[in-house]
Amino acid sequence: MTVVLILFMMVIIGAVIGGVTNSLAIKMLFRPYQAKFLGSWKLPFTPGLIPKRREELAKQLGRTVVEHLLTAEGLQKKLKQSEFQKQVITWSQAEMKRVLDQRWSTKQMLENVGVYITEEDIRKSIYLWSKKQVSNYLLSKQDQTVNELIGETNSKKVDDYLDQFAIYLQERLTQFVGSESAGIKIGRLIETYLGGKGFIGNMISSFLGNEGLTEKVQPLIVEYSQSEEALDMLKQALKDEWNKWANRTIGEVKSKMKEIELEEVVGKGLSSSLPVDQWLDKTVKDWIKPFESKIYDQILPIIITKILDTFANRTQLLLEKFNLEEIVEKEVRGFPISRVEELVLNISRKEFKLITYLGALLGGVIGLVQGLIVVFLR
């Protein structure tokens, strides 16, 4: 009975020592978090292994992540993987559809990305841009004649336009000289003319009367304004005037039009006539509606693929710019040891228990062997 008790006690004591020792060793990986002092003497094994080696651990983790986990080759392979690119394209299409379905106006969309612009800003920009473009263009072409500038083909078209304009002028002139207001003006003109001709003028005026003369003269003027001769005269006058200007250089034309700043006219005309307010109120979805299917099915996949390929070809440079090793190192340094302990224990709690039980088992076996030795040596 005494032998059995001795063996049992030796096994229990060995198991307790082995289990407690292994459990304490696991705890000492993390505890204590800070060094402990007895007076000025620092207690050994404080702080725990991981807190004590935190700096080395941070550097090693940073180096491990860059050299073995998040490598340029690995990222490049992932970015060029066709399946991954398809996933990114699908996500981009869905995200674009989600944004467009919000029905944001162009102005709202710009504000969402931090661009704040008003209608006045756009009109001012259009005015300044167009004014500068016209000024630069005229300056670069100032030694060319108008004919040289517009070219032979357009020069022939101008002749056709002038003929059409002459017909338009004839119609407007006929309409005017046949009007009641023109009749009144003709009557006054006749009265003024005859009044300056003395006795004969007064005699004609009193004999026919101004109204009678007007009724006779006005139809003649209308008839002449409708004649081919009048039309030919208008055409020739317009062509003569055009040829006079067309053979001058742009610089000469501009100098003759000092009162008219062409740049100013074009700038103000464009900035005031363009429907900027409608542009800003129009939704982005409406802007791209004619090309929506092409954007989704062709343009967006091409853009995403190009972007991913560009990133893939520059992964080494990007990683160097990001300096991931330093980022990981800083994060590990600032990570609470208690949180590290919690993470490790949550992941490896079962294995740590098995290590503790294994220590108890080995301690029990050693205790049994010691007990047997003691019994045999008695």
Side-chain angles (χ1 to χ4, degrees), residues 141-363:
K141 304 293 183 180
Q142 64 178 349
D143 295 328
Q144 290 186 4
T145 64
V146 176
N147 270 331
E148 290 173 341
L149 183 64
I150 65 175
E152 185 177 351
T153 303
N154 289 325
S155 183
K156 291 178 180 178
K157 289 181 181 179
V158 170
D159 288 338
D160 295 334
Y161 294 148
L162 290 176
D163 288 342
Q164 294 173 16
F165 187 55
I167 294 172
Y168 170 77
L169 286 178
Q170 184 185 39
E171 292 174 352
R172 297 298 296 171
L173 179 61
T174 302
Q175 184 179 353
F176 172 72
V177 297
S179 66
E180 183 180 350
S181 60
I184 295 172
K185 291 181 182 295
I186 292 171
R188 289 175 181 172
L189 183 62
I190 292 173
E191 182 180 357
T192 303
Y193 177 76
L194 292 177
K197 296 300 180 180
F199 173 75
I200 296 177
N202 291 330
M203 184 180 67
I204 295 173
S205 179
S206 61
F207 179 75
L208 295 175
N210 290 335
E211 292 181 2
L213 285 171
T214 302
E215 290 175 358
K216 294 179 181 300
V217 172
Q218 188 175 14
L220 293 174
I221 298 174
V222 171
E223 183 181 354
Y224 182 76
S225 68
Q226 292 176 325
S227 67
E228 286 294 327
E229 183 182 351
L231 179 60
D232 291 339
M233 183 182 68
L234 282 173
K235 288 180 178 180
Q236 191 60 47
L238 289 173
K239 288 180 180 179
D240 289 343
E241 190 64 23
W242 164 252
N243 290 330
K244 182 173 66 175
W245 286 95
N247 291 318
R248 289 176 176 173
T249 64
I250 299 300
E252 290 175 336
V253 173
K254 193 178 178 194
S255 65
K256 294 289 184 181
M257 300 170 62
K258 289 181 179 178
E259 297 80 7
I260 303 175
E261 290 289 340
L262 188 59
E263 303 93 328
E264 196 80 14
V265 172
V266 174
K268 287 183 177 179
L270 276 177
S271 63
S272 61
S273 62
L274 292 175
V276 176
D277 54 337
Q278 297 177 24
W279 293 349
L280 289 174
D281 291 335
K282 192 174 182 179
T283 65
V284 178
K285 189 176 181 68
D286 290 335
W287 276 114
I288 69 168
K289 192 171 184 179
F291 323 100
E292 189 171 357
S293 59
K294 190 171 184 179
I295 289 173
Y296 278 114
D297 300 333
Q298 299 180 32
I299 298 176
L300 190 60
I302 290 173
I303 291 174
I304 296 300
T305 303
K306 291 290 184 185
I307 291 174
L308 292 176
D309 287 342
T310 301
F311 278 131
N313 293 330
R314 290 168 174 77
T315 48
Q316 185 64 47
L317 178 62
L318 289 172
L319 289 177
E320 289 175 0
K321 294 294 182 183
F322 277 126
N323 202 352
L324 283 179
E325 185 174 345
E326 183 179 347
I327 293 174
V328 173
E329 190 175 329
K330 286 182 179 179
E331 290 297 320
V332 173
R333 282 201 192 106
F335 208 63
I337 294 298
S338 58
R339 181 63 179 156
V340 176
E341 179 183 13
E342 183 181 348
L343 287 173
V344 173
L345 290 178
N346 285 339
I347 295 171
S348 307
R349 191 178 302 276
K350 185 178 180 180
E351 287 73 14
F352 283 153
K353 283 183 179 179
L354 289 175
I355 291 172
T356 302
Y357 295 152
L358 179 61
L361 177 62
L362 292 176

Side-chain angles (χ1 to χ4, degrees), residues 57-223:
L57 178 64
K59 290 180 180 179
Q60 191 60 41
L61 277 176
R63 192 176 300 113
T64 301
V65 167
V66 172
E67 293 179 358
H68 302 287
L69 299 179
L70 201 60
T71 63
E73 293 76 12
L75 283 174
Q76 189 176 46
K77 185 178 179 181
K78 183 68 176 177
L79 290 171
K80 288 189 174 183
Q81 193 177 51
S82 59
E83 187 62 32
F84 175 75
Q85 291 187 349
K86 287 179 182 177
Q87 291 174 356
V88 176
I89 290 170
T90 302
W91 172 83
S92 301
Q93 290 170 332
E95 190 65 16
M96 183 176 178
K97 187 177 186 305
R98 182 189 68 79
V99 172
L100 293 178
D101 286 343
Q102 300 291 327
R103 304 294 299 177
W104 286 326
S105 67
T106 304
K107 185 176 182 180
Q108 289 174 321
M109 183 68 81
L110 290 172
E111 288 175 352
N112 288 338
V113 296
V115 178
Y116 299 92
I117 192 168
T118 63
E119 180 184 342
E120 291 73 21
D121 294 333
I122 296 177
R123 291 194 185 279
K124 184 178 180 181
S125 298
I126 292 172
Y127 163 72
L128 294 174
W129 178 84
S130 56
K131 183 178 176 181
K132 183 179 179 181
Q133 295 305 311
V134 172
S135 178
N136 291 339
Y137 182 76
L138 292 177
L139 185 62
S140 65
K141 304 293 183 180
Q142 64 178 349
D143 295 328
Q144 290 186 4
T145 64
V146 176
N147 270 331
E148 290 173 341
L149 183 64
I150 65 175
E152 185 177 351
T153 303
N154 289 325
S155 183
K156 291 178 180 178
K157 289 181 181 179
V158 170
D159 288 338
D160 295 334
Y161 294 148
L162 290 176
D163 288 342
Q164 294 173 16
F165 187 55
I167 294 172
Y168 170 77
L169 286 178
Q170 184 185 39
E171 292 174 352
R172 297 298 296 171
L173 179 61
T174 302
Q175 184 179 353
F176 172 72
V177 297
S179 66
E180 183 180 350
S181 60
I184 295 172
K185 291 181 182 295
I186 292 171
R188 289 175 181 172
L189 183 62
I190 292 173
E191 182 180 357
T192 303
Y193 177 76
L194 292 177
K197 296 300 180 180
F199 173 75
I200 296 177
N202 291 330
M203 184 180 67
I204 295 173
S205 179
S206 61
F207 179 75
L208 295 175
N210 290 335
E211 292 181 2
L213 285 171
T214 302
E215 290 175 358
K216 294 179 181 300
V217 172
Q218 188 175 14
L220 293 174
I221 298 174
V222 171
E223 183 181 354

